[in-house]
Amino acid sequence: MLIGYVSDENYLALAGVSVEFARDGDIVAQAASTASGAIVADLQPGEYRLTLAMPGFGAKHLTATLPAEQPLQLRLLSDTLTGFMWPKWVRSGEAAELRVHSVAPYRAELFRYGQRKEPVELLGWFDEHGPRAMAQILPDEDFSQTGVQFNTVGFTSPGHVRRLAGPQRSGLYYMHVHNERGEFFSFPWVVAPAAPREPIAVLAATNNWNAYNRFGGRSNYINEAGLPPTPTVNARQDLARYRIGNSATQTADNDVYPPLSFERPEPDCFVDRDVEVTDPMTGRLASSLAPGLWRLLAWLEREGFEYDLYSDAQVRNGELDLDAYRVLLTEMHPEYWYAEEYDAVRDWVERRGGRLMYLGGNGADCQVEHVDASRGRYLTRQPDRDRPEEAHLESRFHRTHEPQARLLGVAFTHAGEGTAAPYRVLDADHWAFAGTGLRNGDLFGTHSMHERVPGGASGHETDKRTPNTPPGFVVLAQGTNPDNGGAEVVYRNLPGSGGEVYSVGSMTYIASLLVDEGVSALTRNVLNDFAGRAPRAAD
């Protein structure tokens, strides 16, 4: 009888897991999982207590009626240190819970990440009397949809669970955790102000962080339509992304995609203990997730700009009062927006004079549907060019919404993808270049901390004007990427409302802010003007 399959937190098949079957208090059978993670045993129908164990993973018990209608999906959590704050975003004074998985006693300390890593609060050491008492237990089945549910099994004593209030100062906070085994892990926490305090708001792309989070075996890029019946043995052979191509897997109707839970650790937002803000941005994803946001915030503080930080969810639910701010800044890769979020920002700019600085690339490209406080559905079906109602769409941000170029002036295209290069000045007489010393034809953005796609401030994924770009956008500079794939830096003033938009269209732009004077000077000029800190120079 096929009982089911056993896999780890990333839905990788586990071979050699010992499985014990008990009934009425007696052990009636034993088995070991096969190379595919399959568990096979000769059992009579009925209810059994299963015990699973494997070195390097947490053992667990569960009860199941066998045979089940479908093979069981059994999940074991590796002994690797991990964790997150829940909720992952709060306002100052609101409480969040520390959720950590550690097989050894651990120490937790809160830091604020700005121009420096500033220690905020030592939470102390965490342990209990039992062995491995701080280890968590994974739910079985597809918890990428439901969340990992840390702190829900056996954690009933207040001493087990630590809740803390969001600090008074808004910003990006990181929890540092290390344990007696010598492991270290860190994870972000977005703290918005209880009420607006500064003239500048910064938007943390928390929807994007979740879209790329594969903890549980699913993200918006692998197994996006749900976990397959059997766990992964070899990604290149088993995952549809590699067998038939990613674009082929994202063509079903959006409604078939299950939600992705925010209530999961985010390993790719990790920042090592000794990393400083001006160090190279290592790894594949860190540069476009929370560690990338850190570089923007550090630059703002270095230049003397005070700001309030918010998550995507806090725009959607109205906690970010846009009318209380002069300027809204995005980070490196704000790809996934709620419909309500997009509408709010567009209306603020076009009707009420808001000033938007889009400092990333491939932004507002896909829509997220709010499911509940811990889940979102990612609507990433490609538009069908043969359908008249979709033929005008230059991106995947569609269904009920307009092409993002109507707000941002630019939209992602594949030209130049995976390359990086400096920008070339095209309109040095524009007020944005005043005092920079840059002239038409000059290059800037030659220095970058981006290691995944090194080469310059225009890169990785780049945006350009499209047929949907409204009149009034002027091009200040363009990346020198091959195949005419350079990002376009554009500016627009909306005479009716007084709103303004500055877009750079590049995922590597922020990686140059701290190390390239041309990028820094241009951005400083625009932000000084938008924030009302300096009079505008004449064109």
Side-chain angles (χ1 to χ4, degrees):
M1 176 193 302
L2 175 62
I3 306 301
Y5 295 87
V6 59
S7 62
D8 70 359
E9 61 266 28
N10 292 313
Y11 204 53
L12 294 172
L14 294 178
V17 176
S18 297
V19 186
E20 181 182 280
F21 299 88
R23 194 172 186 184
D24 299 327
D26 296 324
I27 299 173
V28 297
Q30 298 182 63
S33 60
T34 68
S36 66
I39 302 169
V40 179
D42 186 11
L43 299 171
Q44 295 295 317
E47 186 175 272
Y48 292 86
R49 186 175 194 250
L50 281 64
T51 302
L52 290 77
M54 183 178 182
F57 294 82
K60 68 189 291 186
H61 308 289
L62 66 137
T63 300
T65 300
L66 303 174
E69 291 185 5
Q70 299 292 332
L72 301 177
Q73 295 288 359
L74 306 173
R75 312 296 294 272
L76 294 183
L77 182 57
S78 70
D79 288 346
T80 304
L81 177 67
T82 191
F84 59 99
M85 295 298 297
W86 190 253
K88 291 179 176 177
W89 48 82
V90 296
R91 290 183 290 188
S92 297
E94 294 179 343
E97 186 174 290
L98 179 66
R99 297 188 173 182
V100 172
H101 164 65
S102 178
V103 300
Y106 68 88
R107 178 185 188 271
E109 185 174 9
L110 184 66
F111 285 74
R112 185 180 186 275
Y113 276 28
Q115 191 175 1
R116 292 170 296 276
K117 295 179 179 179
E118 304 173 22
V120 175
E121 179 182 358
L122 173 64
L123 277 68
W125 280 86
F126 294 82
D127 190 25
E128 243 291 336
H129 300 291
R132 297 171 59 103
M134 308 313 294
Q136 304 280 355
I137 300 171
L138 284 180
D140 295 311
E141 308 297 339
D142 183 1
F143 60 80
S144 69
Q145 298 185 42
T146 59
V148 294
Q149 301 170 35
F150 282 4
N151 290 3
T152 61
V153 179
F155 284 78
T156 55
S157 166
H160 280 106
V161 178
R162 176 63 188 272
R163 294 177 65 82
L164 63 158
Q168 288 303 303
R169 188 181 181 193
S170 175
L172 177 65
Y173 289 80
Y174 259 81
M175 191 67 68
H176 287 196
V177 178
H178 75 260
N179 65 18
E180 290 183 348
R181 299 206 316 172
E183 297 174 297
F184 175 78
F185 192 69
S186 66
F187 45 89
W189 189 31
V190 173
V191 178
R197 300 180 62 176
E198 308 299 342
I200 298 169
V202 179
L203 183 56
T206 46
N207 282 339
N208 197 66
W209 304 356
N210 192 48
Y212 285 88
N213 183 11
R214 60 185 181 272
F215 194 95
R218 280 185 65 233
S219 72
N220 198 46
Y221 296 87
I222 60 168
N223 295 326
E224 65 277 359
L227 291 182
T230 59
T232 301
V233 174
N234 183 291
R236 290 285 171 177
Q237 294 177 308
D238 297 341
L239 295 182
R241 176 183 181 90
Y242 304 114
R243 288 190 292 106
I244 60 177
N246 186 51
S247 62
T249 68
Q250 292 186 331
T251 55
D253 190 277
N254 285 307
D255 292 334
V256 308
Y257 292 128
L260 282 170
S261 175
F262 291 92
E263 200 249 306
R264 299 177 291 158
E266 293 174 318
D268 289 309
C269 286
F270 169 81
V271 174
D272 211 345
R273 183 186 350 227
D274 299 324
V275 168
E276 298 297 335
V277 74
T278 54
D279 288 339
M281 303 170 69
T282 61
R284 177 181 178 273
L285 283 176
S287 57
S288 57
L289 304 179
L293 170 64
W294 178 30
R295 270 66 181 191
L296 170 60
L297 302 181
W299 177 84
L300 288 171
E301 294 184 12
R302 189 190 76 179
E303 300 297 322
F305 292 103
E306 298 292 336
Y307 60 87
D308 292 336
L309 183 65
Y310 293 87
S311 70
D312 290 309
Q314 291 167 320
V315 185
R316 187 204 64 79
N317 65 18
E319 290 180 10
L320 168 53
D321 178 8
L322 287 165
D323 291 329
Y325 294 92
R326 288 184 60 90
V327 194
L328 175 68
L329 277 66
T330 76
E331 56 159 304
M332 282 184 168
H333 194 24
E335 183 175 3
Y336 297 92
W337 282 26
Y338 294 109
E340 301 92 336
E341 177 182 19
Y342 180 88
D343 289 347
V345 173
R346 180 200 59 205
D347 292 348
W348 173 67
V349 171
E350 293 184 353
R351 300 179 184 177
R352 303 194 302 282
R355 299 165 181 87
L356 173 64
M357 294 184 68
Y358 166 52
L359 301 182
N362 195 5
D365 192 46
C366 298
Q367 182 178 326
V368 182
E369 178 184 86
H370 173 73
V371 176
D372 54 39
S374 65
R375 297 182 298 164
R377 180 176 288 107
Y378 288 74
L379 309 180
T380 54
R381 181 177 64 82
Q382 298 282 0
D384 185 348
R385 308 297 183 188
D386 295 328
R387 296 174 63 183
E389 66 271 26
E390 297 186 6
H392 69 290
L393 295 169
E394 72 260 349
S395 75
R396 294 170 291 174
F397 192 78
H398 65 293
R399 284 193 123 197
T400 61
H401 281 80
E402 62 193 24
Q404 69 271 37
R406 295 185 186 171
L407 171 62
L408 305 177
V410 291
F412 168 68
T413 70
H414 288 286
E417 185 176 12
T419 71
Y423 286 96
R424 177 175 285 113
V425 178
L426 299 182
D427 188 359
D429 293 331
H430 193 274
W431 61 261
F433 285 109
T436 65
L438 293 169
R439 297 172 296 180
N440 283 340
D442 286 352
L443 299 180
F444 67 99
T446 59
H447 303 290
S448 172
M449 296 185 292
H450 209 286
E451 282 199 338
R452 180 183 176 187
V453 186
S458 165
H460 192 179
E461 292 178 346
T462 55
D463 303 354
K464 305 90 181 172
R465 287 168 298 160
T466 80
N468 291 304
T469 300
F473 274 101
V474 296
V475 184
L476 308 183
Q478 183 175 13
T480 56
N481 306 63
D483 302 322
N484 200 32
E488 293 184 324
V489 178
V490 299
Y491 166 80
R492 183 191 188 196
N493 178 280
L494 287 78
S497 69
E500 296 177 275
V501 177
Y502 172 78
S503 296
V504 304
S506 167
M507 283 178 59
T508 60
Y509 185 92
I510 287 173
S512 292
L513 271 175
L514 288 166
V515 295
D516 190 276
E517 178 52 32
V519 171
S520 179
L522 174 61
T523 312
R524 182 171 56 245
N525 273 359
V526 175
L527 187 51
N528 270 330
D529 181 84
F530 279 18
R533 293 206 334 178
R536 177 174 299 183
D539 286 349

